[in-house]
Amino acid sequence: MCAAELSVYEAIRTRRDVRAEFTGEPVDDATLWRMLEAAHRAPSVGNSQPWDFVVVRDPSTLRKFADHVADKRVEFRAGLPAERAATFEPIKIEGIIESGTGIVVSYDHDRGGPQVLGRATVPETGVYSAVLAIQNLWLAATAEGVGVGWVSFYDPEFLTDLVGLPDGIRPIAWLCVGPVHEFQQTPDLERFGWRTRRPLHDAVHHETYRA
């Protein structure tokens, strides 16, 4: 389904954190560029646009990162109680090799100079801006029929060295990006019994949090 045929609400509803559904075909350059353009149009604190995107397709780099992530998965599982470890066991946490394309989203705190309008009292708004770019990319990808999976099992220092980020630039996410066979109707963590979603009425408060 192309972007023109999918409403933003439908993209939000059908968006999934993709792991096992990649076809193995690379996303074509024109589609990838449209997704990156959508990401780059995200709002940012003080119009600082503190993000950059490192597109990774070299098989050796993908393999190095996949091996590192696999080690981190083992470490995480080892720290779980037996029951949670059994629930976690079948959950796939990445599609680094299968997707064929990784996008490392980085954050530059110094982008925009020392006085970033709107960041003085809430410095985290810079990172929030980079995350908004990720969400834009993700929804655009969904509209294009392209899967995205956010990998978070890694040491930031390892990823920084792997893709050559300069001093002061920190990685925010590795995104696995590629065409998919399908989007799962139910998110993986619900399907495998790790955690269910909260209903909206439990998350909405009026006037104060305790109201």
Side-chain angles (χ1 to χ4, degrees), residues 1-15 135-136 138-140 142-143:
M1 182 175 290
C2 70
E5 298 173 345
L6 195 64
S7 75
V8 66
Y9 288 103
E10 186 69 4
I12 290 169
R13 188 187 69 79
T14 58
R15 182 211 62 82
Q135 179 74 331
N136 268 21
W138 212 326
L139 293 178
T142 303

Side-chain angles (χ1 to χ4, degrees), residues 34-114:
R34 286 195 298 271
M35 291 160 48
L36 291 170
E37 183 177 26
H40 195 58
R41 289 182 178 275
S44 61
V45 62
N47 201 27
S48 56
Q49 296 182 297
W51 51 71
D52 284 278
F53 311 103
V54 181
V55 179
V56 180
R57 284 177 161 164
D58 186 298
S60 66
T61 306
L62 297 176
R63 172 51 61 191
K64 287 177 185 176
F65 190 59
D67 290 345
H68 172 74
V69 171
D71 290 341
K72 294 301 166 184
R73 187 188 195 282
V74 170
E75 291 178 13
F76 178 74
R77 186 190 184 285
L80 293 173
E83 182 179 350
R84 291 302 267 170
T87 301
F88 176 67
E89 186 60 35
I91 298 175
K92 186 173 172 59
I93 64 165
E94 51 81 16
I96 297 164
I97 303 298
E98 298 90 332
S99 66
T101 301
I103 299 176
V104 178
V105 182
S106 65
Y107 169 65
D108 182 355
H109 186 76
D110 294 333
R111 183 83 42 78

Side-chain angles (χ1 to χ4, degrees), residues 155-194:
D155 287 330
E157 295 81 6
F158 179 91
L159 184 51
T160 294
D161 291 341
L162 184 66
V163 298
L165 297 181
D167 290 344
I169 309 297
R170 56 180 283 200
I172 300 298
W174 176 294
L175 305 176
C176 304
V177 177
V180 294
H181 295 292
E182 62 176 346
F183 291 114
Q184 291 289 346
Q185 293 298 307
T186 304
D188 281 359
L189 297 190
E190 291 186 66
R191 289 195 301 122
F192 288 103
W194 182 263

